[in-house]
Amino acid sequence: MTYRIVIEPRQKQGKIINLTPEQKHYLKNVLRLKEDSEFIVIGGHNQTYLVKLNQDKGEIIKELKEQTELPITVTLMIALPKNKGFDEVIRSCTELGVNTIIPIITKRTLLKPSSHKIERWRKIVKEATEQSERQIVPIIMEPMSFSEALNNMDNTNKNCYICVARKKAKHLLTYLLPEITNSVIIATGCEGGWTEEEIDQAEDLGFIPVNLGSRVLRAVTAPLVALSLVAAVAEKYNLQD
């Protein structure tokens, strides 16, 4: 197995990767890599490099032509669940291929995140990116109200869905299967569910109510199910092409 690390764009200077103190410690003391040992650098923008350790820096051997990203851009608007449930949600969503995560605060949201939590979330996403061998690090935006998130959405995007329970709505697959799209936005609610006002507001801005099956899913389960469906359909059609 070749180990992977994520770098900031400014760390790449030509064929040299300027490692941070934390990355040096991880590579040399935790992984115990020796001089000239190889590892992979994730540089963002679908760029990955095979690199060898050269003293306290990385030296690029070659750019890798990998493709592990989904052939569709996925944005998840996830109402914050209680306790530490969001940690595992964002880790799993990163593994499944999400591009952007928007933590949202709804009328029934219990968690009010601190700046410390946001830093932790971004670290989790970075680690999950390395583990799942992706080429990009998903973006985690600052938590915002559901109204603010809706108003920031591009209203020209017609592939916007809000997952609802105990409400008449077609299954998400109904809209995913007819054709593959370039991007999709999916909103999932918190433990208490959406208020009728929130659903109406989303519909007014072009979101289509959908369900994820006959059972009522937990707030930490719904985004994973929704993203799994999108990933499965997107990769199935892309592989057939």
Side-chain angles (χ1 to χ4, degrees):
M1 179 178 67
T2 305
Y3 296 100
R4 294 172 179 250
I5 63 170
V6 173
I7 65 166
E8 298 292 333
R10 64 178 180 273
Q11 290 180 248
K12 180 179 178 294
Q13 301 292 327
K15 288 188 172 297
I16 298 299
I17 305 295
N18 294 307
L19 301 170
T20 66
E22 293 79 10
Q23 289 167 341
K24 293 175 192 175
H25 172 76
Y26 176 67
L27 293 171
K28 301 178 86 170
N29 299 329
V30 178
L31 299 181
R32 299 191 179 280
L33 297 188
K34 305 298 183 184
E35 192 75 3
D36 291 333
S37 293
E38 296 180 356
F39 58 99
I40 292 175
V41 162
I42 303 167
H45 305 293
N46 288 318
Q47 294 177 320
T48 51
Y49 306 95
L50 181 64
V51 175
K52 70 176 179 179
L53 190 61
N54 186 348
Q55 296 182 359
D56 285 336
K57 297 183 179 181
E59 183 179 332
I60 295 176
I61 299 172
K62 63 179 179 179
E63 183 172 356
L64 301 176
K65 303 300 181 183
E66 297 182 318
Q67 182 48 264
T68 62
E69 295 299 317
L70 292 179
I72 179 174
T73 300
V74 184
T75 298
L76 289 180
M77 300 167 62
I78 306 174
L80 290 167
K82 60 186 179 182
N83 300 325
K84 294 183 179 180
F86 199 61
D87 290 12
E88 194 54 42
V89 169
I90 59 175
R91 187 188 306 278
S92 298
C93 285
T94 299
E95 293 176 17
L96 288 168
V98 72
N99 297 90
T100 302
I101 298 171
I102 307 175
I104 56 175
I105 300 169
T106 69
K107 294 289 179 62
R108 294 170 177 163
T109 298
L110 299 176
L111 178 65
K112 308 297 182 185
S114 64
S115 58
H116 174 72
K117 279 187 178 294
I118 298 166
E119 280 183 32
R120 172 177 168 77
W121 292 340
R122 288 176 175 155
K123 182 180 179 182
I124 289 171
V125 165
K126 182 179 174 182
E127 291 171 351
T129 297
E130 295 169 345
Q131 179 272 318
S132 56
E133 301 188 0
R134 293 189 58 179
Q135 281 84 57
I136 63 169
V137 181
I139 296 168
I140 288 201
M141 299 183 68
E142 295 284 331
M144 64 185 74
S145 70
F146 188 44
S147 295
E148 185 181 0
L150 287 174
N151 290 326
N152 287 342
M153 289 293 101
D154 181 358
N155 290 341
T156 62
N157 190 314
K158 304 301 181 185
N159 309 301
C160 302
Y161 308 101
I162 180 168
C163 299
V164 298
R166 304 186 186 93
K167 182 180 176 70
K168 188 175 181 180
K170 294 181 179 178
H171 197 284
L172 177 59
L173 279 178
T174 306
Y175 301 97
L176 297 178
L177 285 175
E179 60 179 284
I180 195 68
T181 59
N182 292 325
S183 63
V184 63
I185 300 170
I186 300 177
T188 60
C190 64
E191 284 84 354
W194 305 107
T195 64
E196 288 297 326
E197 179 185 356
E198 288 168 336
I199 296 173
D200 290 343
Q201 185 182 9
E203 287 191 79
D204 288 343
L205 291 174
F207 279 69
I208 300 171
V210 296
N211 71 56
L212 299 174
S214 303
R215 293 148 302 283
V216 177
L217 304 179
R218 294 187 303 151
V220 295
T221 306
L224 304 183
V225 172
L227 181 53
S228 295
L229 291 170
V230 172
V233 171
E235 292 192 307
K236 169 182 167 59
Y237 281 89
N238 186 60
L239 290 173
Q240 286 182 343
D241 291 342

